[in-house]
Amino acid sequence: MAQYDLNLILNPNISAEQVETEKEFIQRAVSNAGGEITNLDELGNRRLAYAINKTREGYYLMYTINVEGNPEKDIASNLRLRDNVYRVLVVKDRPEWKTKKSA
C-alpha cells in the first residue's frame, strides 16, 4: 500500500454535526477504495489565499491514508460531488521530501 496525503477544504459555515457527517463520508469513501486512514489533522477555519464561491475562509481537513490503486479516481472524484466540499487534493507521500539536506 502506498501512503497519500488527502487534503480537503470544506464550507466554513457548516455546523459541527455537518462536519462529522462529512468526516464519516470521507472515512467510508477511503474504506470503500480499500484504504485506511492513519492520521487526521483537523485545522478548522483558515483564511484562503483566494476566494472560493465568494468565501474567503475554509474548514481544513488533512488526512494521511494508505491505499492501493488510484485514489484520485476512487476517492477524490466521489468527494468532489459533495456540496460542502470546496477543494480536494491527493498527493503521494514521498520520504525524500521530508529529509533535510545538509549544507
Side-chain angles (χ1 to χ4, degrees):
M1 288 188 151
Q3 186 170 345
Y4 291 88
D5 290 331
L6 173 64
N7 303 322
L8 292 103
I9 301 175
L10 303 177
N11 182 350
N13 301 322
I14 60 177
S15 67
E17 294 84 23
Q18 290 173 317
V19 170
E20 290 301 318
T21 302
E22 294 297 330
K23 287 170 36 178
E24 289 171 8
F25 183 83
I26 294 164
Q27 185 170 358
R28 279 195 312 266
V30 170
S31 62
N32 288 344
E36 63 179 354
I37 296 173
T38 57
N39 188 26
L40 168 61
D41 290 328
E42 193 169 346
L43 301 178
N45 285 340
R46 298 285 177 121
R47 185 163 170 81
L48 300 171
Y50 55 90
I52 300 174
N53 295 338
K54 299 181 182 180
T55 305
R56 297 294 298 186
E57 288 188 346
Y59 193 89
Y60 280 76
L61 296 173
M62 298 180 160
Y63 289 90
T64 303
I65 60 173
N66 291 326
V67 66
E68 288 186 19
N70 186 0
E72 180 67 32
K73 184 183 87 172
D74 299 335
I75 300 170
S77 61
N78 290 335
L79 295 177
R80 286 189 180 100
L81 299 175
R82 303 286 290 180
D83 290 336
N84 291 324
V85 176
Y86 283 172
R87 293 289 187 266
V88 178
L89 177 67
V90 179
V91 179
K92 187 168 186 177
D93 191 27
R94 300 196 43 193
E96 61 266 17
W97 292 346
K98 295 182 180 178
T99 60
K100 292 184 178 181
K101 294 184 179 181
S102 59

